[in-house]
Amino acid sequence: GQQVMQIPQYQHVQEGEDFTTYCNSSTTLSNIQWYKQRPGGHPVFLIQLVKSGEVKKQKRLTFQFGEAKKNSSLHITATQTTDVGTYFCAGPVDGGGNKLTFGTGTQLKVEL
Amino acid sequence: ETGVTQSPTHLIKTRGQQVTLRCSSQSGHNTVSWYQQALGQGPQFIFQYYREEENGRGNFPPRFSGLQFPNYSSELNVNALELDDSALYLCASSLKAGAYNEQFFGPGTRLTVL
């Protein structure tokens, strides 16, 4: 079945350092979404990418969708303590629609 | 906040019991999806309801069942609880069931099965 993997599983950075998480799907995706989940919280939608090779920016966050639409990345420039949480990518389950298969997640910890 | 509410927030049950979890979707949203999130893992899709009909199901046994009501609120029922059912249960609502429709997650119900 469809699998969505993320690396790394954990990342510990000093505040001000950059951070990147990579997402790889076993199948081609029509779109990919990114969510952030704070400790003890629920997933919060960050962005959706649809086009092959698409790059979108939100302040210090840069999202990229691969040319083959099977991989994606999230890069955070100059991390802050407010960036702490687990970042998930998610793609439509086999069969389409907005039912999601979530990636394994990358947990980010930021130290002062 | 998303406007999606879930009840109860926490629940403790024993193995073999049955549980019903509830979700009120964001105003105007006709689609509700349910996910199970075990500790340290990503959410796993259970099923989706669109206009009161099941619209897709993940790899969960039949003892996981659901309902959607005319006001688009939804219930998740789990029979014959097992220890592995201990997890955070999340519902997410969206405007439609189409591929490009953002989902808004509720705060979740933390279920513990002893």
Side-chain angles (χ1 to χ4, degrees):
Chain A
Q2 181 188 45
Q3 291 187 34
V4 181
M5 305 296 291
Q6 285 181 251
I7 55 170
Q9 189 176 1
Y10 301 98
Q11 186 81 58
H12 221 131
V13 300
Q14 300 279 64
E15 191 177 41
E17 292 182 335
D18 291 357
F19 159 77
T20 304
T21 173
Y22 299 92
C23 172
N24 288 285
S25 169
S26 59
T27 59
T28 302
L29 302 171
S30 61
N31 69 88
I32 195 156
Q33 300 180 22
W34 284 90
Y35 289 81
K36 176 183 178 181
Q37 186 172 22
R38 294 180 186 274
H42 57 276
V44 175
F45 177 83
L46 294 176
I47 207 160
Q48 178 175 256
L49 304 171
V50 177
K51 298 177 184 176
S52 170
E54 187 170 14
V55 178
K56 286 189 176 180
K57 294 190 176 184
Q58 288 180 350
K59 297 182 181 178
R60 296 179 294 105
L61 279 60
T62 301
F63 303 84
Q64 191 164 8
F65 201 9
E67 294 290 340
K69 301 183 80 173
K70 293 182 72 174
N71 56 71
S72 182
S73 64
L74 158 59
H75 179 83
I76 302 178
T77 303
T79 54
Q80 300 175 358
T81 54
T82 52
D83 296 325
V84 164
T86 301
Y87 292 85
F88 292 100
C89 62
V93 303
D94 294 335
N98 68 348
K99 304 175 279 290
L100 297 174
T101 295
F102 276 78
T104 47
T106 296
Q107 185 179 350
L108 173 63
K109 293 190 176 180
V110 180
E111 285 186 347
L112 290 171
Chain B
E1 292 301 317
T2 62
V4 180
T5 60
Q6 292 186 244
S7 62
T9 54
H10 295 85
L11 202 52
I12 299 175
K13 291 284 189 179
T14 55
R15 197 169 44 182
Q17 285 189 311
Q18 178 265 342
V19 70
T20 298
L21 310 181
R22 294 178 176 83
C23 171
S24 290
S25 59
Q26 185 162 315
S27 177
H29 286 188
N30 60 20
T31 304
V32 172
S33 304
W34 286 91
Y35 294 83
Q36 179 196 66
Q37 186 175 25
L39 202 60
Q41 297 183 21
Q44 301 271 324
F45 173 69
I46 303 174
F47 43 58
Q48 182 181 80
Y49 280 84
Y50 171 62
R51 292 186 174 181
E52 302 178 60
E53 297 286 332
E54 188 179 287
N55 184 45
R57 187 180 183 91
N59 190 25
F60 280 81
R63 58 190 186 83
F64 285 79
S65 63
L67 278 174
Q68 189 178 33
F69 299 99
N71 66 356
Y72 301 133
S73 65
S74 178
E75 284 183 357
L76 163 65
N77 298 289
V78 187
N79 292 322
L81 284 167
E82 300 177 359
L83 298 178
D84 284 349
D85 295 333
S86 295
L88 179 67
Y89 287 85
L90 297 158
C91 82
S93 76
S94 57
L95 194 57
K96 295 178 183 178
Y100 306 107
N101 293 116
E102 175 186 343
Q103 296 199 45
F104 296 83
F105 282 83
T109 294
R110 174 74 61 187
L111 172 65
T112 302
V113 182
L114 302 175

